[in-house]
Structure formats: structure tokens, C-alpha cells
């Protein structure tokens, strides 16, 4: 158990520090996915008290089924989860460290209370992850509040030492390796999701993407690639297109449909900790957004990223920036193949040839995924860098 036990000038042991994380659920799971993961890790590894303020508990409950969507306050996973109502309780005392996730703007009354503190809280805006170079210049940039005696610092996750790093629990890679080494663990995962273990000869692929993804094109490419494939699709918006491809009226969790050499399995949307197991069970993972994208890198498996779409195709620059970093050290043919498949998947282009090229390089891509995960895991993780920054500011 890592613990940031240095103390602040008032001799306040870090373990007495309180953190507030504010999360506004936008339109998917990633905002709350990142905040929930961060909150749990801060409690478990840094011994701080965390209140997680969430404006949409119904989305949270999908990642954390044991949570109560109707509860104003609840303790889950060591975290005090609070419902962030539009009318915020003006009596709430600010924490020593305030995380504003993805520029969600904490309540005005809360900011006023922060400003009224003799010892101003550390106020951090946790930004979205990007592999783009400009992030390094903006990481830890200070932004004075226009009216209140407060300063907010921007904290950018990233892939280099001059960024905030990536979320990674201290035991994640050991748990991954233990899972992979224990053949029964993957069998247990399939049984827990309603299925028998897949046939030994199939290539296992997980598919998590946005509604606009070319699911029919991808399943067609799987069916025509000349090798037995199994595609595991978690319950979500992709099922409609998958049903059309498979000639079904509808698909639901527990369904398994065979189309030639392709098996399609519909999984339940599993609790967030269990999603890692899906990634560890598969040979190739299609992921999206931010949190599943990062988890797929820790899974040390080849990955194809469906990036969150943005206006004016800004997201494609983010995709290019990541792929440029990712293919470093990879054989040219394999790097070209995985980059082409990622671009075709995000652009809605034909997938047969790009997929065939990736499958032809899969051993090299698998070896690279392992070295990429090891390289990423060398520096401190995001929670540790956040804790260090917060404590430094409180000195
Ligand atoms: O759901 P997302 O598309 O979230 C997005 C991104 O975070 C994006 O950066 C942000 O701008 C947008 O929201 C508003 O993808 P992401 O980030 O992968 O989050 C999905 C979460 O769901 C992740 O924590 C993994 C989790 N998950 C489960 O817990 N169970 C499941 O079965 C599946 C498929 C995912």
C-alpha cells in the first residue's frame, strides 16, 4: 500500500487531508469512469478522504452496481459518494484539495467558501487525456479566478514525464499477469458473463465503440478474414447494427450467434473493475473514449481506439498524435497496419484489408503491446502525481 504520509505545514498528516472531486456526467461513461477510478485509488493508495460529487448517479450505478442511484450520500469503495444537486448545499465546507473534473465548474457557493478560507484549497482542473505535444506546455498552468482570490491549476494526463501521467492502480499489472497466468481466471470470466470458454482456436476480440461505428463492416471483415474469430460486444448501442448484420431482430446479453467462422457474443455491461478482465481475455481490443482506451494499454494487448468525436474533426489530430507515439519502436509493417486500421475504423472506411494486415502482424503487435505497457508503467501514475502536486501546494 503506497501512502503519501508526508505532512503539511500545520503538521496535518496527508491522511487527514480531504479531497472533493466534482464530476458532471456528459453523455457517456468516461467522465464518471475516470473520476470513480481516481477516487478509489486516492483512498486506497494515498490514505486521503474523498468525497465524489456526481450529478448523474444513474450513469455511475452502471459502472458501480452496488451504488444506490437514489442516495444523497453513500459510502462505496471507501469513497463518500454525494449526489451533486443543481441547488448545492451552501453549508458544505470545502476540502483541502478540490478536483474539478473536465472543467465541470464546481458550485458557485462552494467556490465562495473556498475563497473564504485562510488556507486556500488546492484547486485542480483535471483535463481530458491527449497524446498531443502541446499538453506538456499547458500541464500545471495556473489560472487566477477572475473575481475570487483563488488560483486553479490545469492538470493534463499524458504519456510523458512533463504531463500528469495515466491512471494506474499500483497492483494493476500484477493482477493482470496473475489473471493471464491462471487459465481458470478467463474461464471464470466467461462463465460469469453467461458463456462457456471460447474454443481454443478462435481469435478473441472485444468491441466497445460509439454508436456511429461501422459495426456491420467490422463484423463482415471478421467473418471474411479466413480465421475463426469471436467478437464479444458488451450491452450497448452497437447491438442494433450487430443484429442487422446477423439477421436478428434484436440482440441482448447472453446471446451467442454464429456466422460462418465468426462467433458473436453479447455480454452484459459489467462493473468497471470487471471490464479489465474482458480486455485481458481477448487478443485484440476495440476501445473508445478515455478510460477504456487507457485500460486497453495496461492490458498489454493490441488495441484499436474509437476516439470520442469532436467538431471539425479535431479528434483525428488526437488519434494521429497517439498513433505516432504508439508505433515508436514497432516494425514498420506492423506500425503501418495498426495505424491504418485505427484510421479506417474512425473514418468509416473499408476494414477488410486493414484488418487482414493487422492479423498478419499480430505476434509483433502483441509483443509491442507488452513493451508499451511496461514503458508506460515506469513513471509515477496520475494519482501519485496529483497527490504530490497537491501536497507541494499545501506546504
Ligand atoms: O463512455 P466513454 O465514451 O466516455 C467518454 C470519454 O471519457 C471521453 O473522453 C469523454 O469526452 C466523454 O465520455 C464525455 O468511454 P470511456 O472513457 O472508455 O469510459 C467508459 C467506461 O465504462 C470505462 O470506465 C470502462 C467502463 N465500462 C464498464 O465498466 N463496463 C463495461 O462493460 C464497459 C464496456 C465499459
Amino acid at each position: 500500500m503506497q501512502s503519501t504520509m508526508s505532512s503539511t505545514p500545520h503538521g496535518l498528516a496527508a491522511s487527514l487531508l480531504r479531497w472533493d472531486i466534482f464530476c458532471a456526467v456528459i453523455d457517456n461513461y468516461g467522465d464518471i469512469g475516470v473520476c470513480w477510478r481516481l477516487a478509489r485509488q486516492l483512498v486506497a493508495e494515498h490514505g486521503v478522504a474523498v468525497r465524489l460529487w456526481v450529478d448523474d448517479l444513474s450513469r455511475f450505478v452502471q459502472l458501480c452496481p452496488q451504488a444506490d442511484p437514489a442516495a444523497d450520500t453513500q459510502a462505496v469503495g471507501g469513497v463518500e459518494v454525494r449526489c451533486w444537486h443543481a441547488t448545492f448545499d451552501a453549508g458544505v465546507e470545502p476540502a483541502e484539495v478540490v478536483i474539478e473534473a473536465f472543467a465541470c465548474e464546481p458550485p458557485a457557493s462552494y467556490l465562495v467558501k473556498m475563497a473564504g478560507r485562510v488556507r486556500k484549497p488546492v484547486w485542480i482542473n483535471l483535463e481530458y487525456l491527449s497524446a498531443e505535444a502541446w499538453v506538456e506546455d499547458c500541464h500545471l498552468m495556473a489560472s487566477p479566478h477572475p473575481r475570487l482570490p483563488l488560483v486553479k491549476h490545469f492538470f493534463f494526463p499524458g504519456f510523458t514525464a512533463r504531463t500528469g501521467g495515466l491512471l494506474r492502480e499500483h497492483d494493476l499489472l500484477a493482477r493482470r499477469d496473475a489473471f493471464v497466468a491462471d487459465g481458470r481466471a478467463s474461464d471464470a470470466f466467461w462463465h460469469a458473463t453467461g458463456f462457456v470458454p471460447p474454443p481454443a482456436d478462435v481469435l478473441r476480440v472485444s468491441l466497445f465503440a460509439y454508436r456511429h461505428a461501422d459495426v456491420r463492416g467490422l463484423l463482415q471483415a471478421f467473418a471474411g478474414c479466413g480465421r475463426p474469430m469471436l467478437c464479444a460486444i458488451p450491452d450497448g448501442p452497437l447491438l442494433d447494427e450487430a443484429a442487422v448484420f446477423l439477421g436478428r431482430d434484436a440482440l441482448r446479453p447472453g446471446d451467442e450467434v454464429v456466422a460462418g467462422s465468426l462467433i458473436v457474443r453479447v455480454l452484459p455491461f459489467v462493473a468497471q473493475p470487471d471490464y479489465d478482465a474482458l480486455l485481458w481475455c481477448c487478443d485484440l481490443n476495440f476501445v473508445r473514449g478515455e478510460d477504456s482506451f487507457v485500460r486497453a494499454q495496461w492490458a498489454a494487448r493490441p488495441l484499436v481506439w474509437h476516439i470520442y468525436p469532436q467538431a471539425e474533426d479535431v479528434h483525428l489530430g488526437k488519434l494521429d498524435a497517439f498513433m505516432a507515439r504508439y508505433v515508436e519502436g514497432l516494425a514498420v509493417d506492423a506500425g503501418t497496419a495498426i495505424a491504418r486500421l485505427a484510421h479506417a475504423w474512425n473514418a468509416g472506411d473499408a476494414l477488410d484489408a486493414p484488418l487482414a494486415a493487422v492479423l498478419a502482424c499480430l505476434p509483433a503487435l502483441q509483443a509491442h503491446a507488452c513493451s508499451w505497457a511496461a514503458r508506460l508503467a515506469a513513471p509515477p501514475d496520475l494519482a501519485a502525481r496529483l497527490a504530490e502536486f497537491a501536497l507541494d501546494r499545501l506546504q
Side-chain angles (χ1 to χ4, degrees):
M1 148 98 86
Q2 296 170 2
S3 173
T4 317
M5 291 306 288
S6 49
S7 65
T8 60
H10 311 291
L12 184 64
S15 62
L16 298 181
L17 278 189
R18 296 168 306 151
W19 291 48
D20 274 333
I21 301 177
F22 286 92
C23 176
V25 174
I26 306 292
D27 54 0
N28 293 290
Y29 300 101
D31 300 85
I32 185 58
V34 166
C35 292
W36 173 227
R37 193 180 297 286
L38 172 61
R40 295 201 315 273
Q41 188 178 359
L42 285 169
V43 168
E45 298 180 22
H46 297 277
V48 298
V50 177
R51 280 185 306 198
L52 173 58
W53 299 87
V54 189
D55 67 346
D56 178 357
L57 287 175
S58 65
R59 194 62 56 88
F60 172 58
V61 169
Q62 286 191 264
L63 301 180
C64 176
Q66 69 268 35
D68 174 354
D72 247 13
T73 301
Q74 58 192 301
V76 189
V79 176
E80 182 183 341
V81 179
R82 302 289 291 265
C83 184
W84 177 6
H85 295 292
T87 308
F88 192 75
D89 175 358
V92 171
E93 284 303 321
E96 284 76 37
V97 184
V98 179
I99 303 286
E100 173 186 350
F102 315 117
C104 65
E105 294 184 16
S109 62
Y110 185 93
L111 289 178
V112 168
K113 284 243 179 189
M114 287 170 64
R117 280 286 178 82
V118 173
R119 179 85 201 147
K120 301 295 183 283
V122 179
W123 180 13
I124 296 167
N125 183 71
L126 178 61
E127 282 291 341
Y128 288 114
L129 171 62
S130 174
E132 295 160 299
W134 61 264
V135 163
E136 292 186 329
D137 299 329
C138 297
H139 179 54
L140 298 185
M141 187 183 284
S143 169
H145 189 279
R147 292 178 309 285
L148 298 171
L150 292 171
V151 176
K152 171 163 57 175
H153 283 83
F154 290 90
F155 199 93
F156 281 83
F159 295 88
T160 69
R162 288 182 55 214
T163 68
L166 300 171
L167 276 175
R168 173 177 46 83
E169 299 85 355
H170 76 286
D171 63 344
L172 173 63
L173 304 195
R175 287 189 291 112
R176 175 202 65 195
D177 293 344
F179 181 98
V180 171
D182 173 4
R184 293 163 305 169
S186 59
D187 292 353
F189 173 80
W190 292 112
H191 285 303
T193 49
F195 297 97
V196 297
D201 65 340
V202 295
L203 191 81
R204 292 151 300 178
V205 181
S206 72
L207 176 54
F208 181 48
Y210 292 106
R211 181 181 299 278
H212 61 280
D214 180 13
V215 173
R216 278 191 265 175
L218 185 65
L219 294 181
Q220 180 57 52
F222 287 161
C225 73
R227 60 187 296 177
M229 301 281 287
L230 180 141
C231 182
I233 310 176
D235 192 9
L238 303 185
L239 298 189
D240 296 341
E241 285 295 285
V244 170
F245 172 78
L246 296 168
R248 292 293 186 91
D249 294 336
L251 290 172
R252 60 185 60 80
D255 284 350
E256 177 171 286
V257 184
V258 179
S261 60
L262 170 64
I263 302 169
V264 175
R265 284 182 171 180
V266 180
L267 271 59
F269 191 93
V270 296
Q272 192 186 51
D274 299 331
Y275 179 63
D276 286 324
L278 173 59
L279 298 173
W280 299 339
C281 283
C282 291
D283 305 296
L284 174 64
N285 291 305
F286 284 71
V287 291
R288 76 184 202 191
E290 178 166 331
D291 191 61
S292 62
F293 166 56
V294 172
R295 303 312 277 189
Q297 294 174 68
W298 295 133
R301 294 280 193 273
L303 66 104
V304 181
W305 182 27
H306 203 218
I307 190 166
Y308 184 77
Q310 292 179 282
E312 285 105 52
D313 281 351
V314 167
H315 57 289
L316 295 181
K318 292 179 185 292
L319 177 67
D320 288 339
F322 171 71
M323 293 313 299
R325 290 186 190 277
Y326 186 68
V327 301
E328 277 172 27
L330 188 51
V332 173
D333 58 344
T336 304
I338 196 72
R340 276 183 59 208
L341 180 56
H343 277 277
W345 181 232
N346 282 278
D349 295 342
L351 295 166
D352 302 79
L355 174 70
V358 161
L359 296 183
C361 301
L362 210 54
L365 290 168
Q366 174 53 47
H368 178 71
C370 290
S371 60
W372 175 260
R375 200 188 325 165
L376 281 189
D381 65 275
L382 185 142
R385 296 190 207 192
L386 263 177
E388 180 185 27
F389 175 75
L391 277 175
D392 287 349
R393 297 290 304 166
L394 287 168
Q395 298 301 344

